[in-house]
Amino acid sequence: MSSSPTLSPAPPAGAPTAPTPAALGELARAVAGRPDRWRPAVRFDAAARFHTRLEVTGGHEVWLLTWLPGQGTEIHDHGGAAGAFTVVAGVLTERAFPASGGAPRARELAAGGLRSFGPRYVHEVVNAGTEPAVSIHAYAPALAAMSYYAELPGGGLRPVRTDPVTD
């Protein structure tokens, strides 16, 4: 028997209006279209994915992530933040996990590919290719914590831990 993930809470009712997933996608694409803003920050680390916050405002934040072949995330949510990411180099593979349980949906995102999502989204991302990859991510509100999950037989998820997000 599989269980649905216990997701981080959605933002409370009455909270200030945050950018929509579509607007975050536009933001990620806009930043990606300005390599002068992110290219100087690109670093690759054989021990772990490299990430750095490029921008933070009262309403959103933007991150740069780099991925060597084989590097990826654990299954995670974004602590109630909506988000989007676009690939600017290489190819990333995403597996998204439905809130109702069941099998995850996999898709490849090549350079120019974009994925936008709401505040209760659970996924994992990996560079399954042979070339390094670079991606730009936008979140609203800024990430405060992320929860991580283990995949159960049959496609359900079990919460593992929640970590604060730090630079």
Side-chain angles (χ1 to χ4, degrees), residues 19-34 37-38 55 60-62 82-88 112-117 136-140:
T20 64
L24 291 168
E26 291 173 17
L27 174 61
R29 279 214 165 120
V31 172
R34 299 268 325 271
R37 289 185 65 191
W38 56 264
E55 174 182 310
H60 70 267
E61 66 180 353
V62 178
F85 69 98
T86 187
V87 178
V88 295
L114 175 73
R115 184 74 179 117
S116 298
F117 47 87
I136 304 292
H137 301 242
Y139 301 102

Side-chain angles (χ1 to χ4, degrees), residues 10-97:
T17 303
T20 64
L24 291 168
E26 291 173 17
L27 174 61
R29 279 214 165 120
V31 172
R34 299 268 325 271
D36 58 306
R37 289 185 65 191
W38 56 264
R39 196 174 311 269
V42 170
R43 306 281 182 276
F44 292 96
D45 183 338
R49 281 180 304 110
F50 173 80
H51 59 276
T52 188
R53 189 179 281 138
L54 297 174
E55 174 182 310
V56 63
T57 71
H60 70 267
E61 66 180 353
V62 178
W63 291 77
L64 167 86
L65 281 75
T66 67
W67 316 71
L68 289 171
Q71 291 180 335
T73 68
E74 296 175 64
I75 301 168
H76 65 280
D77 68 23
H78 302 91
F85 69 98
T86 187
V87 178
V88 295
V91 177
L92 294 174
T93 300
E94 177 197 42
R95 286 194 322 144
F97 293 81

